[in-house]
Amino acid sequence: MSGWGVGDIPDQRDRTVIVTGANSGLGAVAARALAGAGAQVILACRNVDKGRAVAAEIGDRAQVRRLDLADLSSVREFAAGVEGVHVLINNAGVMAVPLRRTVDGFEMQIGTNHLGHFALTGLLLGKISERIVTVSSGAHAIGAIDIDDLNWERRTYKRWPAYGQSKLANLLFTFELQRRLTAAGSAKQAVAAHPGYAATGLQSHTESILDKVMALGNRLAAQSAEMGALPELFAATAAVEPGGYYGPTGLGGTRGHPGPSGCSRRARDELTARSLWDLSERLTGVKFDFTG
């Protein structure tokens, strides 16, 4: 029996979806698929020229707006320009980059992958009517949250543990967001997804020999970006469990059609999730309002 695919996306007419990082890779694939199912899609991109090229392929169901998740002023400006949206897909991310910092001084991976999306979600929460989907990674399993040094100011920076920390933060955030939505009596859903091992441009920005190694891996072992985008599309449109986590169901979760995915014990640590939430509010200055 064939698995869930783009053809199974429910009718998306009269719905608006924001996809961060929709100028390339999984985000571009997701934007095309959602628009193909009838949605109005806002491509939230740092590189608006690349975003416009994707939007031109999609047509009048797509619009491009600038969003730099590594700059909280850009996040605030973007959020202020949104009137209402059914689904937010926190898709954008960076992976295993050399040590550098965001405009606000955060380590780039935790700043972009988690803190930028945390702030964006908080600023938009009252304008989102249905779901918040956040894209994590199987690499969350190598991550650990250091509440005392989240931004690698005292530790010796290590790019892969930093990436793992940011992807673990994505899951802790999603699960804690769902707990808070439920406690507030909200029908909104927080859902997480991961693409397995998918060939995208994400693997080409480490600025090291790993770029060539991962490019070879993309050709030999990875599934396509079209398959890698299916879990986030499933999380955004299918009947899912609130607080669920979805990814490929084949070959150890690295490839195949989407379904429920397991996660590490650390991702289910509610004490760490609350501590990370409080720290994220302090660092970003964004507090969530669950009354709307």
Side-chain angles (χ1 to χ4, degrees), residues 176-207:
E176 181 65 15
L177 176 57
Q178 184 60 59
R179 285 189 287 269
R180 295 183 184 223
L181 287 168
T182 300
S186 174
K188 299 174 188 178
Q189 297 179 331
V191 189
H194 76 90
Y197 184 10
T200 71
L202 183 68
Q203 295 97 337
S204 63
H205 298 288
T206 69
E207 299 177 28

Side-chain angles (χ1 to χ4, degrees), residues 46 67-72 75 101-105 108 111-112 116:
R46 182 177 60 83
L67 171 65
D68 184 353
L69 291 161
D71 181 350
L72 290 178
V75 175
R101 302 206 173 268
T102 70
V103 170
D104 303 280
M108 185 61 72
T112 301

Side-chain angles (χ1 to χ4, degrees), residues 112-130:
T112 301
N113 299 350
H114 169 61
L115 292 170
H117 281 131
F118 178 92
L120 178 65
T121 304
L123 292 166
L124 288 177
L125 189 62
K127 303 176 181 181
I128 299 170
S129 62
E130 293 183 14

Side-chain angles (χ1 to χ4, degrees), residues 9 31 36 50 65 84 90 145 157 168 185 218 227 229 250 276 290 292:
I9 296 175
K50 288 186 177 180
R65 299 186 190 177
N90 291 321
I145 303 295
Y157 178 73
L168 176 59
N218 281 354
M227 287 297 295
L276 177 64
F290 291 94

Side-chain angles (χ1 to χ4, degrees), residues 14 36 40 54 58 65 79 99 101 116 120 131 207 213 219 223 225 234 237 239 248 260 272 282:
D14 301 320
Q40 293 292 321
V54 175
I58 294 172
R65 299 186 190 177
L99 177 60
R101 302 206 173 268
L120 178 65
R131 297 185 195 183
E207 299 177 28
V213 173
R219 291 196 298 272
Q223 64 177 354
F234 184 89
T237 67
T272 299
R282 291 198 301 273

Side-chain angles (χ1 to χ4, degrees), residues 18-23 42-46 63 65-67 78:
I18 295 172
V19 183
T20 69
N23 57 281
I42 298 173
L43 284 66
C45 308
R46 182 177 60 83
Q63 57 178 287
R65 299 186 190 177
R66 186 177 185 278
L67 171 65
F78 175 88

